[in-house]
Amino acid sequence: MDKLLFSKTHEWVKIKGGEAEIGISEYASHSLGDVVFVDLPAIGASFAAEAEFGAIESVKAASELMMPVAGKVIAINEALVDHPELINQDPMGTWLIKVLLTGPVDASKLLNEADYAHSHE
């Protein structure tokens, strides 16, 4: 069963066994506006939870992307290189990176969907 959690910095993580997909929330997508560029890490790069793993730029702002979990990058969403606007079209269905989990998931630092929705009302 997939487990969907959110960071306080507006990334989502969908945990599937020992792997996870990471993207940005619908709230973050709307706050940023039209996304024009995404800087993603190289496959094989490892990051600690809460470490910066990339950046996202829109017509309104630029923002760092933060890891919600510790992991080693096993895939990047290549489609976003030429079409970063896909994030705006379906932020919850468009993953940025896939990682192999390299440590325990600290659920105390992540929010479930209901708590995340209430955190930015």
Side-chain angles (χ1 to χ4, degrees):
M1 182 174 173
D2 296 351
K3 186 172 187 178
L4 182 65
L5 298 168
F6 294 85
S7 68
K8 292 176 181 149
T9 54
H10 308 292
E11 289 83 12
W12 57 259
V13 57
K14 188 181 295 179
I15 299 170
K16 301 176 178 186
E19 296 181 0
E21 293 178 347
I22 298 168
I24 67 165
S25 71
E26 192 165 338
Y27 175 81
S29 170
H30 290 303
S31 296
L32 282 167
D34 294 334
V35 175
V36 295
F37 178 75
V38 181
D39 181 26
L40 299 174
I43 292 173
S46 292
F47 298 92
E50 301 181 345
E52 182 179 333
F53 73 88
I56 188 166
E57 294 180 20
S58 72
V59 293
K60 294 189 330 188
S63 182
E64 295 85 20
L65 295 166
M66 307 302 284
M67 287 291 287
V69 294
K72 180 178 179 179
V73 179
I74 55 174
I76 63 168
N77 191 337
E78 298 281 352
L80 298 176
V81 174
D82 293 326
H83 301 286
E85 69 278 4
L86 294 172
I87 294 169
N88 296 113
Q89 294 168 12
D90 185 13
M92 296 303 299
T94 304
W95 56 272
L96 302 172
I97 62 173
K98 291 183 182 182
V99 298
L100 181 65
L101 298 173
T102 57
V105 175
D106 187 353
S108 70
K109 296 191 186 257
L110 299 170
L111 304 169
N112 64 35
E113 207 161 352
D115 290 342
Y116 177 73
H118 291 300
S119 73
H120 56 268
E121 287 181 334

